[in-house]
Amino acid sequence: MKRVPIVAGNWKMHKTPAEAVDFVSRLKSLLAEYSAVECVVIPPYVALPGVQAELEGTAIKVGAQDVHHEDKGAFTGCVAANMLVGLVEYVVIGHSETRQYLNVTDELVNKKVKQALKFGLKPIIALGENLEQRESGQAEKVCRSQLVAAFNEIPADALPNIVIAYEPIWAIGTGRNAEAGMVNDLLGGTIRGTLAELYGSQAAQAMRIQYGGSVKPANMVEYMSQPDIDGALVGGASLELDSFKDLVRLTLQAKA
Ligand code: 13P
């Protein structure tokens, strides 16, 4: 099954609106020749209007880092799905930093996924185990349970609009990236296997699954050469122009 690779830069709490617009104004010419790879930039909320305007008419997509699960209300500091409509195509849901610092539970991940879909936004659902779970042999079990919870009552026809990102917490921002063969086995076995149980093997084969955690140009080919890894969700290495371009270039090279 041929899946379009997807490389997304999650900028977390980096870049002011002006810096973000300046960055994408230069990124768009650097990425113009790599249109066979889907590229997404995921800036902080306040940079979204400027970034969206700057990328209008280009192939580069925009994403948000989170979304609230309710339509509106007294939720200080939060952003609702309808506020993102027209600004982004993608929204990251369940990133481990939101699970850890903002108390986003599995149940909330599921509600956010439903809310994003309701407004035509495409979820990038992030999941992955922590170090203790990895070391005690629970990684597959944890990923499976996060996945099943995230897809609770999600209809099969929504699947083409969803991307999954496997991000083991111990590999995020640590420089300790997960071994590519292990990631491939987990994506192809546990994640695609669970999706196949839920939705059938054809739907599972069609889904795009990214790896995230200390991805950089130096290890990109290793990951992108694996058949079940369909792209990357990248933090630190997506903040520099040359590095972002290299991630995309190497993806195209490895998947060609
Ligand atoms: P790093 O690439 O900085 O390890 O971050 C990964 C990540 O959390 C992307 O969402």
Side-chain angles (χ1 to χ4, degrees), residues 126-218:
L127 52 88
E129 81 285 357
N130 63 28
L131 187 59
E132 192 189 331
Q133 291 160 335
R134 162 67 44 188
E135 288 181 341
S136 60
Q138 306 288 301
E140 286 79 8
K141 195 175 131 202
V142 168
C143 290
R144 182 184 159 82
S145 109
Q146 290 180 347
L147 189 66
V148 170
F151 281 85
N152 182 39
E153 296 174 348
I154 302 300
D157 64 5
L159 262 59
N161 292 323
I162 300 177
V163 174
I164 294 169
Y166 168 61
E167 298 204 305
I169 295 168
W170 48 271
I172 296 177
T174 59
R176 182 183 168 187
N177 57 300
E179 201 271 312
M182 179 284 280
V183 174
N184 190 66
D185 290 349
L186 193 139
L187 268 50
T190 307
I191 298 184
R192 264 187 232 290
T194 303
L195 289 168
E197 281 171 37
L198 298 173
Y199 296 101
S201 70
Q202 207 177 338
Q205 283 304 316
M207 277 215 74
R208 294 185 296 174
I209 312 176
Q210 300 173 303
Y211 166 72
S214 299
V215 170
K216 47 185 187 271

Side-chain angles (χ1 to χ4, degrees), residues 101-134:
Y101 305 127
L102 302 173
N103 297 321
V104 173
T105 59
D106 280 345
E107 192 189 347
L108 279 178
V109 168
N110 178 245
K111 286 187 175 167
K112 286 168 186 271
V113 170
K114 288 173 179 160
Q115 187 71 356
L117 292 169
K118 180 171 140 187
F119 286 90
L121 307 174
K122 298 177 178 173
I124 298 176
I125 302 175
L127 52 88
E129 81 285 357
N130 63 28
L131 187 59
E132 192 189 331
Q133 291 160 335
R134 162 67 44 188

Side-chain angles (χ1 to χ4, degrees), residues 10 12 95-97 167 171-175 212-215 233-237:
N10 173 13
K12 308 188 180 183
H95 191 283
S96 61
E97 286 150 18
E167 298 204 305
I172 296 177
T174 59
S214 299
V215 170
L233 183 56
V234 186

